[in-house]
Amino acid sequence: MGRIEIFEMKPGYIEETRKIRVYLPDNYESTAISYPVVYMHDAQNLYVDEDAFGNCSWGVSKTLESMEAYGGFDGLIVVGIDNCGERRFEDYSPWKNTIDHAGFRKETRGGDGAQYARFIVNDLKPKIDQCYRTHSDKGHTAICGSSMGGLISAYMAAAWPEIFGCAGIFSIASWFAAEAFERFIMDSQFGKEQRFFIQVGTAETVCPEEADMPQLFIDMTMKYVHMLLEKGVPYSDICLKLDAGGEHCEKVWRKYMQEFFEFFTRMP
Protein backbone atom coordinates (compact mmCIF):
# COMPACT_ATOMS: atom_id res chain seq x y z
CA MET A 1 0.00 0.00 0.00
CA GLY A 2 1.04 3.58 -0.56
CA ARG A 3 1.59 5.87 2.38
CA ILE A 4 0.88 9.50 3.17
CA GLU A 5 3.41 11.83 4.74
CA ILE A 6 2.22 15.09 6.30
CA PHE A 7 4.09 18.31 7.01
CA GLU A 8 3.23 21.99 7.32
CA MET A 9 4.41 25.11 5.52
CA LYS A 10 3.69 28.82 5.79
CA PRO A 11 2.56 30.20 2.44
CA GLY A 12 4.16 33.57 3.20
CA TYR A 13 1.36 35.95 2.25
CA ILE A 14 -0.60 35.12 5.43
CA GLU A 15 0.45 33.91 8.88
CA GLU A 16 -1.48 30.65 8.76
CA THR A 17 0.29 27.36 8.10
CA ARG A 18 -0.93 24.91 5.49
CA LYS A 19 -0.95 21.16 5.92
CA ILE A 20 0.63 19.32 3.00
CA ARG A 21 -0.32 15.67 2.46
CA VAL A 22 2.03 13.72 0.19
CA TYR A 23 1.02 10.34 -1.22
CA LEU A 24 3.98 8.06 -1.95
CA PRO A 25 3.61 4.90 -4.06
CA ASP A 26 3.82 1.42 -2.57
CA ASN A 27 7.23 0.79 -4.16
CA TYR A 28 8.77 4.14 -3.16
CA GLU A 29 11.07 2.65 -0.51
CA SER A 30 11.99 -0.48 -2.49
CA THR A 31 13.11 1.22 -5.70
CA ALA A 32 15.36 4.10 -6.72
CA ILE A 33 13.15 5.41 -9.52
CA SER A 34 11.75 8.94 -9.75
CA TYR A 35 8.06 9.70 -10.12
CA PRO A 36 5.71 12.14 -11.84
CA VAL A 37 3.95 14.55 -9.48
CA VAL A 38 0.37 15.83 -9.32
CA TYR A 39 -0.31 18.90 -7.17
CA MET A 40 -3.90 18.92 -5.91
CA HIS A 41 -5.98 21.36 -3.87
CA ASP A 42 -8.48 20.56 -1.07
CA ALA A 43 -6.21 17.85 0.34
CA GLN A 44 -8.66 17.02 3.13
CA ASN A 45 -10.92 15.54 0.47
CA LEU A 46 -8.38 13.49 -1.48
CA TYR A 47 -7.49 10.36 0.43
CA VAL A 48 -9.67 9.38 3.39
CA ASP A 49 -13.47 9.32 3.37
CA GLU A 50 -13.68 10.18 7.07
CA ASP A 51 -11.70 13.40 6.54
CA ALA A 52 -13.54 14.46 3.41
CA PHE A 53 -16.46 16.77 2.83
CA GLY A 54 -19.63 14.68 2.94
CA ASN A 55 -17.59 11.67 4.10
CA CYS A 56 -16.63 10.85 0.51
CA SER A 57 -13.10 11.44 -0.76
CA TRP A 58 -11.69 11.56 -4.27
CA GLY A 59 -10.34 8.06 -3.61
CA VAL A 60 -6.88 9.08 -4.78
CA SER A 61 -4.88 6.58 -2.72
CA LYS A 62 -7.20 3.64 -3.45
CA THR A 63 -7.18 4.44 -7.16
CA LEU A 64 -3.39 4.63 -7.32
CA GLU A 65 -2.93 1.50 -5.21
CA SER A 66 -5.23 -0.39 -7.57
CA MET A 67 -3.33 0.88 -10.60
CA GLU A 68 0.00 -0.07 -9.02
CA ALA A 69 -1.24 -3.56 -8.11
CA TYR A 70 -2.55 -4.23 -11.60
CA GLY A 71 0.93 -3.85 -13.09
CA GLY A 72 2.52 -1.75 -15.80
CA PHE A 73 2.28 1.39 -13.67
CA ASP A 74 5.13 2.43 -11.40
CA GLY A 75 3.00 4.99 -9.58
CA LEU A 76 3.16 8.70 -9.01
CA ILE A 77 3.41 11.17 -6.16
CA VAL A 78 0.39 13.29 -5.21
CA VAL A 79 0.99 16.49 -3.26
CA GLY A 80 -2.23 17.69 -1.65
CA ILE A 81 -2.51 21.16 -0.14
CA ASP A 82 -5.20 21.54 2.52
CA ASN A 83 -7.72 24.29 2.01
CA CYS A 84 -8.16 26.69 4.88
CA GLY A 85 -11.91 26.71 5.34
CA GLU A 86 -13.51 30.02 4.49
CA ARG A 87 -10.23 31.31 3.03
CA ARG A 88 -10.70 28.80 0.22
CA PHE A 89 -12.45 31.41 -1.91
CA GLU A 90 -9.65 33.90 -1.34
CA ASP A 91 -6.90 31.40 -2.14
CA TYR A 92 -8.50 29.80 -5.17
CA SER A 93 -9.25 32.92 -7.23
CA PRO A 94 -6.76 35.61 -8.27
CA TRP A 95 -9.73 37.94 -8.79
CA LYS A 96 -12.63 39.19 -6.69
CA ASN A 97 -15.95 37.58 -7.48
CA THR A 98 -18.02 39.37 -10.11
CA ILE A 99 -21.29 37.58 -9.33
CA ASP A 100 -24.00 38.78 -7.01
CA HIS A 101 -25.89 35.53 -6.53
CA ALA A 102 -25.31 31.88 -5.47
CA GLY A 103 -24.75 33.11 -1.92
CA PHE A 104 -22.14 35.74 -2.87
CA ARG A 105 -22.20 39.50 -2.80
CA LYS A 106 -20.22 41.09 -5.60
CA GLU A 107 -16.55 41.94 -4.95
CA THR A 108 -16.51 40.35 -1.48
CA ARG A 109 -14.54 37.13 -2.00
CA GLY A 110 -11.41 36.00 -3.84
CA GLY A 111 -8.28 37.91 -4.75
CA ASP A 112 -5.34 36.02 -3.18
CA GLY A 113 -5.12 33.27 -5.80
CA ALA A 114 -2.00 34.62 -7.50
CA GLN A 115 -0.12 34.60 -4.18
CA TYR A 116 -1.36 31.10 -3.34
CA ALA A 117 -0.25 29.90 -6.77
CA ARG A 118 3.20 31.47 -6.37
CA PHE A 119 3.55 29.69 -3.02
CA ILE A 120 3.02 26.36 -4.78
CA VAL A 121 5.37 27.18 -7.65
CA ASN A 122 8.15 29.03 -5.80
CA ASP A 123 8.15 27.35 -2.38
CA LEU A 124 6.28 24.05 -2.29
CA LYS A 125 7.40 22.53 -5.59
CA PRO A 126 11.12 23.15 -4.94
CA LYS A 127 10.74 21.56 -1.50
CA ILE A 128 8.99 18.51 -2.96
CA ASP A 129 11.64 18.14 -5.66
CA GLN A 130 14.37 18.39 -3.03
CA CYS A 131 12.86 16.00 -0.49
CA TYR A 132 11.39 13.32 -2.78
CA ARG A 133 12.49 11.48 -5.91
CA THR A 134 10.54 13.36 -8.54
CA HIS A 135 10.70 13.99 -12.25
CA SER A 136 10.62 17.77 -11.96
CA ASP A 137 10.15 18.68 -15.63
CA LYS A 138 6.83 19.92 -16.99
CA GLY A 139 6.10 16.67 -18.79
CA HIS A 140 5.90 14.94 -15.42
CA THR A 141 4.17 17.71 -13.43
CA ALA A 142 0.41 18.26 -13.22
CA ILE A 143 -1.98 20.55 -11.36
CA CYS A 144 -5.50 19.41 -10.48
CA GLY A 145 -8.61 20.60 -8.64
CA SER A 146 -12.37 20.90 -8.67
CA SER A 147 -14.79 23.83 -8.61
CA MET A 148 -12.79 26.77 -7.22
CA GLY A 149 -9.85 24.36 -7.22
CA GLY A 150 -10.51 23.91 -10.92
CA LEU A 151 -10.43 27.67 -11.38
CA ILE A 152 -7.04 28.08 -9.70
CA SER A 153 -5.69 25.02 -11.54
CA ALA A 154 -6.70 26.50 -14.89
CA TYR A 155 -5.06 29.78 -13.86
CA MET A 156 -1.82 28.04 -12.86
CA ALA A 157 -1.64 25.99 -16.06
CA ALA A 158 -1.98 29.21 -18.07
CA ALA A 159 0.41 31.23 -15.90
CA TRP A 160 3.18 28.58 -15.81
CA PRO A 161 2.99 26.46 -18.98
CA GLU A 162 6.71 25.75 -18.58
CA ILE A 163 6.03 24.03 -15.22
CA PHE A 164 2.65 22.30 -15.57
CA GLY A 165 2.47 20.03 -18.58
CA CYS A 166 -0.94 18.69 -17.59
CA ALA A 167 -4.00 20.07 -15.80
CA GLY A 168 -7.01 18.27 -14.34
CA ILE A 169 -9.94 20.71 -14.37
CA PHE A 170 -13.05 19.30 -12.69
CA SER A 171 -16.32 21.27 -12.52
CA ILE A 172 -14.61 24.59 -13.08
CA ALA A 173 -16.20 27.51 -11.20
CA SER A 174 -14.93 30.15 -13.62
CA TRP A 175 -18.31 31.89 -13.35
CA PHE A 176 -16.97 33.21 -10.02
CA ALA A 177 -14.96 35.83 -11.94
CA ALA A 178 -15.80 35.02 -15.54
CA GLU A 179 -14.71 38.22 -17.26
CA ALA A 180 -11.28 38.40 -15.62
CA PHE A 181 -10.72 34.67 -16.08
CA GLU A 182 -11.57 34.76 -19.76
CA ARG A 183 -9.34 37.78 -20.39
CA PHE A 184 -6.48 36.04 -18.61
CA ILE A 185 -6.84 32.82 -20.59
CA MET A 186 -7.05 34.66 -23.91
CA ASP A 187 -3.98 36.76 -23.02
CA SER A 188 -1.94 33.68 -22.04
CA GLN A 189 0.43 31.63 -24.15
CA PHE A 190 0.06 27.89 -23.71
CA GLY A 191 3.01 25.54 -23.94
CA LYS A 192 3.71 22.96 -26.58
CA GLU A 193 2.25 19.58 -25.65
CA GLN A 194 0.39 20.98 -22.64
CA ARG A 195 -2.57 18.69 -21.97
CA PHE A 196 -5.95 19.21 -20.29
CA PHE A 197 -8.35 16.72 -18.66
CA ILE A 198 -11.69 18.52 -18.23
CA GLN A 199 -14.84 17.17 -16.55
CA VAL A 200 -18.30 18.54 -15.82
CA GLY A 201 -21.66 17.04 -14.85
CA THR A 202 -25.08 17.95 -16.15
CA ALA A 203 -26.65 18.35 -12.69
CA GLU A 204 -24.04 20.53 -10.97
CA THR A 205 -24.98 23.30 -8.59
CA VAL A 206 -23.68 25.12 -5.54
CA CYS A 207 -27.04 26.82 -5.00
CA PRO A 208 -30.09 24.56 -5.51
CA GLU A 209 -32.39 27.60 -5.37
CA GLU A 210 -30.95 28.85 -8.66
CA ALA A 211 -32.27 26.68 -11.48
CA ASP A 212 -29.78 27.92 -14.07
CA MET A 213 -26.65 26.79 -12.21
CA PRO A 214 -26.32 23.35 -13.87
CA GLN A 215 -26.37 25.00 -17.29
CA LEU A 216 -23.94 27.63 -16.05
CA PHE A 217 -21.39 24.96 -15.11
CA ILE A 218 -21.75 23.36 -18.54
CA ASP A 219 -21.53 26.70 -20.37
CA MET A 220 -18.44 27.82 -18.47
CA THR A 221 -16.73 24.47 -19.05
CA MET A 222 -17.44 24.54 -22.79
CA LYS A 223 -16.30 28.17 -22.95
CA TYR A 224 -13.01 27.14 -21.37
CA VAL A 225 -12.57 24.32 -23.89
CA HIS A 226 -13.30 26.69 -26.77
CA MET A 227 -10.77 29.21 -25.45
CA LEU A 228 -8.09 26.55 -25.23
CA LEU A 229 -8.78 25.59 -28.83
CA GLU A 230 -8.67 29.23 -29.89
CA LYS A 231 -5.28 29.55 -28.18
CA GLY A 232 -3.93 26.70 -30.27
CA VAL A 233 -4.20 23.75 -27.90
CA PRO A 234 -4.88 20.75 -30.18
CA TYR A 235 -8.11 18.90 -29.54
CA SER A 236 -6.01 15.73 -29.21
CA ASP A 237 -4.46 17.29 -26.07
CA ILE A 238 -7.88 17.89 -24.49
CA CYS A 239 -9.87 15.11 -22.85
CA LEU A 240 -13.44 16.29 -22.14
CA LYS A 241 -15.74 14.24 -19.94
CA LEU A 242 -19.42 15.20 -19.72
CA ASP A 243 -21.10 13.23 -16.93
CA ALA A 244 -24.83 12.73 -17.56
CA GLY A 245 -26.58 13.46 -14.27
CA GLY A 246 -23.27 14.17 -12.58
CA GLU A 247 -23.53 16.36 -9.48
CA HIS A 248 -21.03 18.74 -7.88
CA CYS A 249 -19.35 16.34 -5.46
CA GLU A 250 -16.39 14.10 -4.72
CA LYS A 251 -18.43 10.98 -5.48
CA VAL A 252 -18.54 12.03 -9.13
CA TRP A 253 -14.97 13.33 -9.39
CA ARG A 254 -13.51 10.13 -7.96
CA LYS A 255 -14.98 8.18 -10.90
CA TYR A 256 -12.52 9.91 -13.20
CA MET A 257 -9.36 9.65 -11.15
CA GLN A 258 -7.92 6.63 -12.93
CA GLU A 259 -8.64 8.14 -16.34
CA PHE A 260 -6.98 11.39 -15.31
CA PHE A 261 -3.89 9.64 -13.94
CA GLU A 262 -3.64 7.56 -17.11
CA PHE A 263 -4.09 10.65 -19.28
CA PHE A 264 -1.36 12.46 -17.33
CA THR A 265 1.12 9.58 -17.49
CA ARG A 266 0.15 8.82 -21.12
CA MET A 267 -0.89 5.25 -20.38
CA PRO A 268 -2.77 3.56 -23.27
Side-chain angles (χ1 to χ4, degrees), residues 192-212:
K192 185 178 180 181
E193 296 185 352
Q194 209 174 7
R195 306 168 76 232
F196 298 84
F197 187 99
I198 302 168
Q199 181 273 335
V200 68
T202 63
E204 301 215 30
T205 186
V206 295
C207 186
E209 294 78 17
E210 298 189 15
D212 64 339

Side-chain angles (χ1 to χ4, degrees), residues 83-184:
N83 70 55
C84 201
E86 278 298 302
R87 274 203 58 85
R88 184 175 183 271
F89 295 103
E90 276 57 56
D91 289 341
Y92 290 1
S93 175
W95 313 281
K96 290 289 186 181
N97 65 295
T98 56
I99 60 171
D100 198 17
H101 58 89
F104 297 97
R105 289 184 295 109
K106 190 173 181 179
E107 298 288 335
T108 58
R109 305 307 299 264
D112 289 341
Q115 296 178 88
Y116 168 78
R118 284 194 294 270
F119 157 67
I120 294 175
V121 170
N122 296 332
D123 300 315
L124 178 59
K125 185 178 186 301
K127 180 178 177 68
I128 295 298
D129 290 335
Q130 180 182 17
C131 295
Y132 299 97
R133 298 195 311 274
T134 69
H135 288 298
S136 60
D137 62 293
K138 81 170 212 175
H140 293 90
T141 306
I143 189 74
C144 178
S146 65
S147 193
M148 294 294 294
L151 172 61
I152 194 63
S153 295
Y155 168 82
M156 292 176 69
W160 288 279
E162 74 281 7
I163 290 179
F164 300 105
C166 183
I169 313 295
F170 293 77
S171 306
I172 189 169
S174 52
W175 43 262
F176 183 83
E179 300 87 349
F181 174 76
E182 291 169 12
R183 283 196 303 271
F184 181 78

